[in-house]
Amino acid sequence: MSEYRQMPKDDVSKWLDMQHSFRANLQQKTTQLTQCWQLYLTNDDFTARNELRQLCRKLAGAAEVYGFKGVTDSAGQLADLLAKPFTDELTQRIQEHNCMEVLQEQLSSTHQNKNLNHSEQRCYSQGIAAPCVLLFDSEQLAAEALALELGGHEFNLIIETDEANLYDTLLRTKPEVVLCCIALNQQHCLSIEAIRSSQHQLGYQPSVICFTDQDTFEARLAATRAGCQHLMLKPLEAKQVLHQLNKLIFKEKAEPYQILLVDADSDVLRFYRHALSMGGYTVATATEGKTAFELAVQMKPELMLIDLNLHGCSGIELGKIVRQHPELANIPLIFMSQQNDITEHMAVIDLVGDDFIQKPIAPWRLLMTVEARVKRSRLLKQEQRAVIQRPELMQHIDTLTALPTLWQLKRELQKNSEQQNTLCLMKLDLDQFHLINDVYGRETGDLVLQTVAWQLAQLLSEQDHLYRESGDEFWLLCRQLTTLEQAAEFTEHMLLVLEQISINFDVSIHFTASVGICLVSEPQSPDALLQHASTALYEAKKKAGHQYRFYDPQQQQKIDLRQQLTQTIRHAISKKQFTCVFQPIFSAQNKLASFELLARWQHPEQGTISPALFIPLLEEQGLISYLTRQMLDLGLPQLKQWRKKWPDLCLNINVSAQDLADPELCEQLLERMQQHDLPNKALVIEITESILIQAGSGSFEQLRHLAEQGFAISLDDFGTGYSSLSYLDKLPVSRLKIDRSFVQRIDENKQDKLLPAIIHLANDLALEITAEGVETKAQFDYLKRYGCQRYQGYLFSKPLMAEDIERTLWFQAKESVYSK
């Protein structure tokens, strides 16, 4: 297919008239440019410089659209110079002046030249070329016979019989339609792969008619992957092939698509409007956001083309306004911009599946992009109407991959339960698939899903089945896998195959997957089996990528317990069911120095719940700050009472990322300390590196504010993070707690030089250092020898209730139970 659509002579004349009109407008633009240049020379400030740069950008874009390369180059060069910061001001000023002179000369000569340039002549000559049809069939005699019967019609028919040359032939001929024979060779179909691979290089997707002598699911799936519009069975009838070709090449006139075009540049607006009108579209235009919105509400267009640089409001803001209107929310939006700004690209992505194209846009590319979107939009509306009339369609086939849905899987599982056969059920999920949609767009994400479906289908035997309902999850029902070993071997091979897939666009996209596996050996309900596979997948997803897990009934028990706790934990917080315990911290001189305040939950049905389980649940539900306040209300009165016996006693409390993100945290702590008549230095706030990362940079300012008020800041689990040393310089930390993993190495007789180095570093920085998890005398002696100042662990005491602490000898005698 030619890069340009067929163009009657009358339309060529219209294009020439548009170019003459643009030349006439160049006089006005030259005057505007000269005035802006003089203003820039007179007022050497950022505003004047930026206005001149913007004007040059618009002029370069409009000139390129109309084919005036000289103006495009010189205007673009001046815009680039104006965008650069001054390094050598005199040199750059001279360059700007010279470039401006060249631009003025180009504008003057372009305005005076009324003749069509060579590039324009070439464009129009290409525009009237006959459409190309590529016929591929490895059976040469069959291909020649079909070509003979199709001869004499208004298209250029090209034959290719060598599968190895198909890719190059596609790029060379650029066909509008491909007639392709599908010959499945075990796991590969090279002809389909060639068509799919060529689409990126072609810049468009040719129409495809497939024919095959095997009416199987695999053949139809292969045709779907190729973007097939019609599948025909051999032997072919030339009359039917010709009928389908005419439908694709010489499309019947239908109701024109309605498009709303929004651009502040009147020249570009006029050009695109004429290009779209010649393509058979009904086009309305607007130059600013308010008028565009009013027109959209009135006409309900099937597509909006919006430039990002508008007057009054930006194109992205207009897009958001359109999305908020209930009658316009589903209109496809295509955004345009001359700037290649990643921030703008991401903002467009946030508008849910909208396209972004870089200006200037050649007429053929504009028409191709618009046609693809409006056809898809109208087809979607037709499918939605069909589904409303026949909702059972959605139960049977997934429209994206042509795979059967979960509804079909449940029926198959029910049938298997009645027959009591052994089989393997797998649930596969693509890891971090949302990033593909976010970064590369939903069309790319759809192609990834189709590719995965294709590859998975090639791995299955005739008795196995593949299903998809929505999202990036696939279900596999494998009857040949009856043992754990067989299932594991197949899954490892499957994951390896998926990892080797590469989707080629501007960059290569690679991905991994996770799988949950359930072996079915006894009758169970379909819902139970689906839940088992989902549970196994949940366990596999706990680790990053290329993981699979078999279903274990204990996994389900853990999930059921977690779900039960999730439902009751809010009630526990509101009824203050959480209690506290205290673990003492001793000095090197065996003197009680502090207590760490720890939360406990005694569930009425499940008994004692580990903090490792309930703390994450509280964080997920945004309730962890309530627990922090309840612990303070329990711990501070106890601290006040104990300080009568131990005047220098402190209380250590762990704070979460949600606590640090609360701007009122400091005020709340000050109020509580004043309420209990306690000095601020008596409260030690423990944080971890992971909490700092979750809370963000705002947590640094929060901690500085707390330190200024006299609260002590302790960095917990020191040595386990990636950049703990950097926090010692950034944060007002006065204390460190060595993670218990370092202390445990002492008993393992490891020659660990890191632990003494940490203690030495802390002492040099005048930081008080505490060792966690001290459980043996050898650990205590080792730490003391190197200068550790504080100790916490079972060698001294486990966490205790307040009343139990007051009965201990070390509390009553004012010395540690470990006195020597």
Side-chain angles (χ1 to χ4, degrees):
M1 183 183 70
S2 169
E3 291 184 345
Y4 300 89
R5 290 179 170 272
Q6 295 183 13
M7 187 180 297
K9 294 182 179 179
D10 290 344
D11 287 338
V12 173
S13 177
K14 291 178 182 179
W15 282 114
L16 295 176
D17 290 341
M18 288 181 62
Q19 291 219 329
H20 291 316
S21 176
F22 180 74
R23 285 193 179 94
N25 289 339
L26 283 181
Q27 182 62 45
Q28 179 183 356
K29 290 188 177 295
T30 303
T31 303
Q32 184 181 0
L33 181 69
T34 303
Q35 292 173 349
C36 198
W37 173 256
Q38 293 299 328
L39 183 63
Y40 168 54
L41 296 179
T42 306
N43 302 298
D44 185 13
D45 57 21
F46 175 78
T47 302
R49 184 182 180 85
N50 189 53
E51 288 180 359
L52 180 60
R53 182 176 62 84
Q54 292 290 346
L55 180 59
C56 289
R57 286 289 184 205
K58 289 183 179 180
L59 184 59
E64 183 164 348
V65 165
Y66 284 92
F68 300 106
K69 190 175 185 303
V71 176
T72 299
D73 292 343
S74 53
Q77 185 178 357
L78 180 55
D80 291 339
L81 284 172
L82 293 169
K84 293 180 179 179
F86 285 123
T87 53
D88 184 346
E89 183 173 357
L90 178 59
T91 301
Q92 191 160 335
R93 292 285 191 185
I94 294 173
Q95 291 176 343
E96 291 174 356
H97 181 77
N98 293 338
C99 194
M100 181 62 183
E101 287 187 346
V102 173
L103 176 57
Q104 289 174 327
E105 291 177 2
Q106 289 288 346
L107 288 170
S108 177
S109 61
T110 302
H111 172 63
Q112 295 172 2
N113 182 15
K114 305 297 182 181
N115 297 321
L116 187 65
N117 60 41
H118 294 299
S119 64
E120 295 164 351
Q121 293 174 0
R122 184 171 60 253
C123 168
Y124 297 137
S125 66
Q126 288 177 337
I128 60 176
C132 173
V133 175
L134 175 61
L135 169 60
F136 168 75
D137 194 333
S138 57
E139 298 178 5
Q140 186 169 354
L141 292 178
E144 292 176 351
L146 179 59
L148 184 63
E149 294 186 71
L150 295 178
H153 295 277
E154 296 180 12
F155 49 79
N156 180 22
L157 185 64
I158 297 174
I159 299 176
E160 178 59 66
T161 58
D162 189 345
E163 200 167 28
N165 296 331
L166 179 57
Y167 178 81
D168 293 334
T169 304
L170 284 163
L171 298 185
R172 175 174 53 82
T173 61
K174 297 181 172 59
E176 185 167 338
V177 181
V178 178
L179 291 169
C180 178
C181 177
I182 295 178
L184 295 176
N185 179 18
Q186 295 180 352
Q187 297 181 4
H188 299 287
C189 183
L190 296 180
S191 56
I192 298 304
E193 293 177 3
I195 294 174
R196 293 173 56 192
S197 300
S198 67
Q199 291 172 8
H200 177 62
Q201 294 295 327
L202 289 172
Y204 69 97
Q205 179 173 342
S207 300
V208 180
I209 297 176
C210 293
F211 45 93
T212 179
D213 54 6
Q214 298 178 357
D215 187 10
T216 64
F217 173 79
E218 288 74 19
R220 292 186 177 275
L221 190 59
T224 300
R225 298 300 174 269
C228 175
Q229 276 77 23
H230 193 72
L231 178 66
M232 307 181 71
L233 299 179
K234 287 185 173 183
L236 298 175
E237 293 186 12
K239 185 180 296 185
Q240 293 181 351
V241 176
L242 185 61
H243 174 70
Q244 295 299 329
L245 280 174
N246 287 329
K247 284 178 62 177
L248 293 174
I249 298 175
F250 310 106
K251 302 177 179 63
E252 299 177 1
K253 290 188 176 180
E255 180 184 352
Y257 294 106
Q258 293 188 334
I259 295 176
L260 178 55
L261 178 60
V262 190
D263 198 309
D265 191 323
S266 57
D267 284 319
V268 173
L269 192 70
R270 187 184 309 109
F271 180 88
Y272 291 156
R273 179 182 61 194
H274 195 75
L276 292 169
S277 298
M278 290 172 56
Y281 301 101
T282 300
V283 185
T285 61
T287 57
E288 50 88 27
K290 182 179 180 181
T291 304
F293 178 70
E294 293 172 350
L295 273 173
V297 173
Q298 178 182 349
M299 66 180 291
K300 307 295 188 304
E302 294 176 272
L303 176 73
M304 290 182 68
L305 276 160
I306 305 174
D307 187 77
L308 293 180
N309 186 22
L310 299 177
H311 300 306
C313 73
S314 70
I316 291 176
E317 290 173 331
L318 175 59
K320 291 181 179 179
I321 293 172
V322 169
R323 281 283 177 262
Q324 293 167 1
H325 194 285
E327 296 181 3
L328 308 177
N330 295 321
I331 293 177
L333 306 179
I334 297 180
F335 293 91
M336 309 176 292
S337 176
Q338 289 179 328
Q339 306 296 328
N340 190 13
D341 189 342
I342 188 62
T343 303
E344 291 180 340
H345 287 215
M346 295 307 297
V348 168
I349 288 171
D350 286 341
L351 284 173
V352 188
D354 293 310
D355 288 340
F356 181 94
I357 51 180
Q358 187 78 25
K359 278 186 169 183
I361 313 164
W364 67 270
R365 181 167 171 255
L366 175 69
L367 291 168
M368 180 190 70
T369 304
V370 168
E371 181 179 10
R373 284 307 301 260
V374 293
K375 283 178 61 178
R376 190 160 62 248
S377 175
R378 188 170 284 189
L379 181 62
L380 180 60
K381 291 180 180 178
Q382 294 173 353
E383 290 176 349
Q384 288 172 341
R385 287 194 292 267
V387 169
I388 292 174
Q389 297 171 359
R390 296 183 60 193
E392 70 276 6
L393 291 177
M394 291 296 290
Q395 294 180 320
H396 297 166
I397 300 295
D398 169 48
T399 56
L400 178 64
T401 61
L403 292 175
T405 65
L406 199 60
W407 182 84
Q408 296 271 42
L409 174 58
K410 288 183 177 180
R411 292 188 63 186
E412 194 66 28
L413 289 174
Q414 183 61 46
K415 185 188 303 182
N416 183 80
S417 176
E418 296 169 358
Q419 297 173 352
Q420 299 186 12
N421 294 324
T422 300
L423 52 78
C424 179
L425 176 64
M426 299 184 182
K427 185 177 184 181
L428 181 145
D429 177 85
L430 301 183
D431 299 316
Q432 302 293 317
F433 177 75
H434 67 279
L435 294 179
I436 296 178
N437 277 335
D438 292 344
V439 175
Y440 302 105
R442 291 183 178 272
E443 289 189 0
T444 301
D446 288 348
L447 177 59
V448 169
L449 294 174
Q450 291 174 339
T451 303
V452 169
W454 163 257
Q455 290 290 349
L456 291 176
Q458 307 311 304
L459 298 175
L460 300 181
S461 67
E462 294 183 0
Q463 295 181 341
D464 301 333
H465 297 285
L466 178 64
Y467 306 86
R468 176 181 179 264
E469 183 176 27
S470 61
D472 60 321
E473 295 178 339
F474 294 86
W475 295 84
L476 296 87
L477 190 60
C478 304
R479 301 184 182 280
Q480 305 299 315
L481 307 178
T482 58
T483 67
L484 293 175
E485 292 76 13
Q486 291 174 343
E489 182 180 358
F490 174 84
T491 305
E492 289 173 357
H493 174 66
M494 176 175 63
L495 291 177
L496 184 61
V497 169
L498 293 181
E499 280 194 28
Q500 293 173 346
I501 295 176
S502 175
I503 308 297
N504 290 310
F505 288 90
D506 294 333
V507 296
S508 293
I509 303 175
H510 298 272
F511 46 85
T512 59
S514 301
V515 182
I517 309 171
C518 172
L519 284 177
V520 183
S521 57
E522 57 185 25
Q524 296 185 62
S525 70
D527 289 337
L529 296 176
L530 295 176
Q531 180 61 45
H532 294 342
S534 297
T535 300
L537 177 63
Y538 174 81
E539 292 297 319
K541 297 286 285 185
K542 288 183 177 180
K543 293 189 177 181
H546 197 100
Q547 300 290 324
Y548 64 91
R549 294 290 184 274
F550 288 93
Y551 170 70
D552 182 349
Q554 293 183 354
Q555 295 172 347
Q556 191 62 48
Q557 293 176 7
K558 293 178 182 177
I559 293 177
D560 292 343
L561 173 60
R562 196 175 191 277
Q563 182 64 26
Q564 182 181 358
L565 296 180
T566 300
Q567 296 173 355
T568 58
I569 199 167
R570 186 174 295 272
H571 176 77
I573 280 286
S574 63
K575 297 301 181 182
K576 298 183 178 180
Q577 293 181 359
F578 291 89
T579 58
C580 66
V581 293
F582 303 83
Q583 186 170 26
I585 300 173
F586 289 92
S587 69
Q589 292 74 35
N590 304 318
K591 182 178 180 181
L592 181 63
S594 184
F595 282 104
E596 182 174 1
L597 182 63
L598 302 169
R600 294 293 184 264
W601 183 18
Q602 190 68 24
H603 194 278
E605 297 177 1
Q606 301 295 336
T608 302
I609 305 299
S610 168
L613 185 56
F614 71 73
I615 293 294
L617 289 178
L618 289 170
E619 290 176 336
E620 289 175 8
Q621 299 197 26
L623 300 174
I624 191 66
S625 294
Y626 291 94
L627 179 64
T628 303
R629 290 195 286 270
Q630 289 183 17
M631 291 299 101
L632 285 169
D633 290 340
L634 293 172
L636 291 179
Q638 195 65 61
L639 176 64
K640 179 180 179 181
Q641 178 181 337
W642 286 340
R643 280 175 68 91
K644 296 176 182 178
K645 185 177 182 64
W646 298 82
D648 297 327
L649 193 64
C650 296
L651 185 68
N652 293 36
I653 183 167
N654 296 280
V655 298
S656 67
Q658 294 174 24
D659 291 320
L660 288 181
D662 184 359
E664 298 181 358
L665 174 64
C666 187
E667 286 69 20
Q668 292 174 358
L669 293 179
L670 290 172
E671 181 181 343
R672 280 177 165 79
M673 298 303 284
Q674 185 177 5
Q675 176 185 349
H676 297 290
D677 194 24
L678 289 168
N680 295 345
K681 66 179 182 180
L683 187 64
V684 180
I685 297 173
E686 293 194 7
I687 58 173
T688 63
E689 182 180 348
S690 61
I691 288 175
L692 292 175
I693 294 173
Q694 294 175 38
S697 58
S699 60
F700 289 15
E701 187 61 33
Q702 177 82 281
L703 291 171
R704 291 190 188 98
H705 186 38
L706 290 168
E708 289 171 358
Q709 297 300 321
F711 297 104
I713 309 298
S714 175
L715 189 57
D716 198 4
D717 298 337
F718 184 76
T720 59
Y722 291 103
S723 56
S724 297
L725 289 177
S726 66
Y727 291 119
L728 300 183
D729 182 53
K730 295 179 182 179
L731 296 174
V733 175
S734 60
R735 308 183 184 199
L736 296 182
K737 293 187 78 172
I738 300 177
D739 187 71
R740 63 180 64 247
S741 61
F742 290 94
V743 176
Q744 291 171 354
R745 297 181 188 179
I746 297 172
D747 288 342
E748 297 171 3
N749 295 320
K750 291 186 177 180
Q751 298 298 319
D752 189 1
K753 298 181 181 180
L754 185 57
L755 182 55
I758 293 175
I759 298 174
H760 181 70
L761 173 65
N763 289 330
D764 285 349
L765 296 175
L767 300 176
E768 180 184 287
I769 190 161
T770 301
E772 291 183 299
V774 181
E775 298 179 355
T776 68
K777 182 179 182 299
Q779 293 170 349
F780 174 72
D781 292 339
Y782 182 92
L783 292 163
K784 188 174 182 179
R785 181 166 70 251
Y786 283 103
C788 184
Q789 302 160 336
R790 297 284 186 269
Y791 306 87
Q792 178 181 357
Y794 277 33
L795 176 64
F796 305 94
S797 174
K798 65 179 181 180
L800 299 171
M801 302 288 289
E803 55 270 23
D804 295 331
I805 287 175
E806 293 174 355
R807 290 195 292 265
T808 61
L809 294 176
W810 49 261
F811 183 86
Q812 296 175 1
K814 290 192 177 183
E815 64 177 6
S816 170
V817 69
Y818 183 74
S819 58
K820 295 183 180 179

